[in-house]
């Protein structure tokens, strides 16, 4: 083919002992068009440009993108964020309990949630590197186990300093590497309805706040904050279960149509990047800085609202319900605006 070179990709469904003859149309499905290369250059030395992050709508029609399994992945991401962000959004329930138990100042006690929420976003970039290296599935499974261990260790602590480590750092790291890969998998599996599916997945965090806030309050009032931590430790294992469903598209058999990961298309000798790289797109940098400023005080109500309601004369249960109301409004908004984002006028 003039001006183009065909580079065959390995396919898992081909047998080593039997290689059936393929016609031109079938052969095209298992090949990747690459730019011109020097005829004297071997296939292992061909320099390939990075593949696009998301395949085209035509590719989506030939694979399982926007299909049944895509909605299974969306549901798994929903449950993942239900637990991950649901716990962060309802930290105010445990904050009030720890404040009463340790008799420390509000500032010192609030560090528990603050460190965890800082780690949640701080470790997102390392989490993305881990996902690229080991895959989203493995990283999410590991994140769920780390989160569960951190919460279990928190139930045996005897000082706020220890909880800073177990809840703040360990749980913060575990939830961080479980959070971003879930959103990546949703974006990877959807093309036509990506914004809507992302809105559904992220609304899980708000429903988590809706359900976990009153539930944790009941557990704290009836069995104490230590058993509440143990309950959350068991619940965190749901994250690992969700990770099992984050199956890469290249492992899903779809007949002769198969979408391979971009990491398998790129030739390692020529396209691998070493070290950390900072985004150079000016608009992305502006967006990132603006988002950071806009969310600077985002978690403050989630930490202090329950205690503030108690000081205003409300009961524990009524204070925790305020967190649920925040979750309802935010969740509905995510679904609505996610759907509107898919409308192209």
């Amino acid at each position: 083919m003039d001006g183009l070179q065909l580079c065959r990709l390995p396919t898992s469904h081909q047998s080593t002992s039997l290689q059936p003859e393929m016609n031109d149309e079938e052969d095209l499905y298992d090949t990747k068009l690459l730019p011109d290369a020097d005829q004297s250059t071997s296939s292992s030395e061909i320099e390939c440009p990075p593949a696009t992050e998301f395949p085209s709508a035509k590719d989506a029609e030939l694979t399982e993108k926007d299909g049944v399994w895509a909605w299974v992945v969306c549901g798994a991401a929903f449950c993942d964020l239900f637990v991950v962000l649901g716990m962060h959004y309802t930290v105010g329930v445990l904050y009030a309990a720890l404040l009463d138990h340790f008799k420390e100042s509000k500032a010192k006690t609030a560090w528990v949630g603050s460190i965890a929420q800082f780690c949640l976003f701080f470790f997102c970039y390392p989490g993305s590197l881990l996902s690229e290296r080991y895959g989203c599935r493995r990283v999410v499974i590991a994140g769920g186990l780390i989160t569960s261990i951190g919460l279990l260790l928190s139930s045996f602590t005897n000082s706020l300093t220890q909880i800073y480590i177990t809840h703040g750092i360990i749980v913060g790291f575990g939830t961080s590497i479980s959070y971003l890969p879930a959103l990546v998998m949703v974006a990877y599996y959807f093309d036509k309805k990506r914004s809507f599916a992302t809105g559904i997945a992220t609304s899980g965090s708000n429903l988590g706040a809706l359900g976990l806030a009153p539930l944790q309050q009941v557990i704290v009032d009836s069995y104490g904050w230590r058993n509440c931590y143990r309950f959350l430790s068991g619940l965190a294992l749901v994250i690992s279960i969700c990770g099992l469903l984050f199956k890469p598209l290249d492992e899903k058999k779809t007949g002769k149509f198969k979408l391979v990961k971009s990491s398998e298309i790129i030739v390692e000798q020529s396209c691998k990047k070493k070290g950390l790289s900072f985004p150079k797109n000016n608009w992305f940098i502006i967006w990132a800085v603006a988002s950071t400023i806009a969310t600077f005080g985002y978690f403050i109500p989630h930490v202090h609202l329950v205690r503030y309601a108690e000081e205003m004369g409300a009961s524990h249960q009524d204070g925790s319900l305020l967190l649920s109301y925040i979750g309802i409004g935010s969740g509905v908004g995510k679904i609505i605006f996610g759907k509107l984002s898919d409308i192209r006028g």
Side-chain angles (χ1 to χ4, degrees):
M1 186 179 296
D2 293 337
L4 294 173
Q5 180 176 352
L6 292 178
C7 177
R8 181 173 300 280
L9 298 175
T11 53
S12 60
H13 61 276
Q14 290 179 336
S15 172
T16 57
S17 61
L18 179 62
Q19 296 290 341
E21 185 176 359
M22 302 173 64
N23 56 37
D24 294 339
E25 182 181 1
E26 292 175 329
D27 185 68
L28 182 59
Y29 295 137
D30 289 329
T31 59
K32 181 70 178 179
L33 296 179
L34 300 177
D36 286 329
D38 188 355
Q39 298 297 329
S40 62
T41 303
S42 63
S43 60
S44 62
E45 297 175 347
I46 296 175
E47 293 189 3
C48 309
T52 55
E53 183 177 359
F54 300 111
S56 65
K58 181 62 177 178
D59 293 330
E61 295 176 358
L62 303 181
T63 62
E64 292 194 349
K65 290 172 71 68
D66 294 284
V68 175
W69 190 260
W71 290 107
V72 173
V73 171
C74 181
F78 176 94
C79 296
D80 180 305
L81 299 182
F82 181 98
V83 179
V84 170
L85 293 183
M87 290 189 297
H88 283 285
Y89 287 164
T90 58
V91 70
V93 176
L94 285 171
Y95 164 77
L98 295 176
L99 200 59
D100 292 334
H101 179 83
F102 290 106
K103 308 298 182 183
E104 295 285 356
S105 66
K106 294 180 181 179
K108 288 184 178 180
T109 308
W111 273 108
V112 174
S114 298
I115 295 174
Q117 290 149 9
F118 168 79
C119 292
L120 172 67
F121 296 106
F122 179 79
F123 289 113
C124 274
Y125 184 54
S128 67
L129 298 179
L130 290 173
S131 297
E132 183 179 358
R133 175 66 178 85
Y134 299 104
C136 293
R137 170 193 272 179
R138 295 177 181 177
V139 172
V140 171
I141 292 174
L145 294 175
I146 293 172
T147 302
S148 180
I149 292 172
L151 291 167
L152 183 61
L153 292 176
S154 298
S155 68
F156 296 102
T157 55
N158 296 311
S159 68
L160 282 179
T161 303
Q162 294 174 348
I163 300 182
Y164 292 163
I165 299 174
T166 57
H167 185 151
I169 298 177
I170 298 178
V171 174
F173 175 74
T175 54
S176 178
I177 64 175
S178 304
Y179 165 59
L180 186 61
L183 297 178
V184 170
M185 289 302 297
V186 173
Y188 193 59
Y189 261 92
F190 284 89
D191 186 82
K192 297 178 181 178
K193 300 179 180 179
R194 185 178 299 146
S195 297
F196 181 53
T198 302
I200 292 177
T202 55
S203 68
S205 61
N206 304 110
L207 288 181
L210 174 63
L212 291 181
L215 181 58
Q216 287 186 72
Q217 191 63 64
V218 170
I219 296 175
V220 169
D221 292 341
S222 302
Y223 304 102
W225 63 270
R226 295 184 186 276
N227 286 319
C228 184
Y229 265 121
R230 290 160 190 160
F231 162 76
L232 293 176
S233 175
L235 184 64
L237 295 177
V238 173
I239 301 173
S240 297
I241 296 175
C242 293
L244 294 173
L245 300 176
F246 292 154
K247 210 168 188 181
L249 277 171
D250 64 316
E251 293 184 14
K252 299 294 296 178
K253 302 299 185 298
T254 57
K256 61 184 178 181
F257 301 119
K258 182 180 172 186
L259 182 64
V260 297
K261 294 184 293 187
S262 59
S263 60
E264 294 179 355
I265 298 174
I266 301 174
V267 179
E268 292 184 1
Q269 287 84 347
S270 59
C271 302
K272 182 183 293 184
K273 294 182 179 180
K274 298 181 180 181
L276 304 180
S277 60
F278 189 80
K280 298 180 180 179
N281 186 289
N282 292 332
W283 286 111
F284 176 82
I285 295 175
I286 293 173
W287 173 83
V289 173
S291 298
T292 301
I293 297 174
T295 58
F296 189 79
Y298 180 77
F299 280 101
I300 291 178
H302 296 88
V303 175
H304 296 280
L305 191 58
V306 175
R307 189 62 173 185
Y308 180 75
E310 293 175 3
E311 293 175 352
M312 295 295 292
S315 63
H316 292 176
Q317 291 78 8
D318 291 338
S320 62
L321 283 177
L322 294 176
L323 299 177
S324 299
Y325 298 151
I326 293 177
I328 293 174
S330 181
V332 172
K334 288 177 179 178
I335 296 177
I336 293 176
F337 288 103
K339 181 63 177 178
L340 292 177
S341 298
D342 283 324
I343 300 176
R344 300 175 182 177

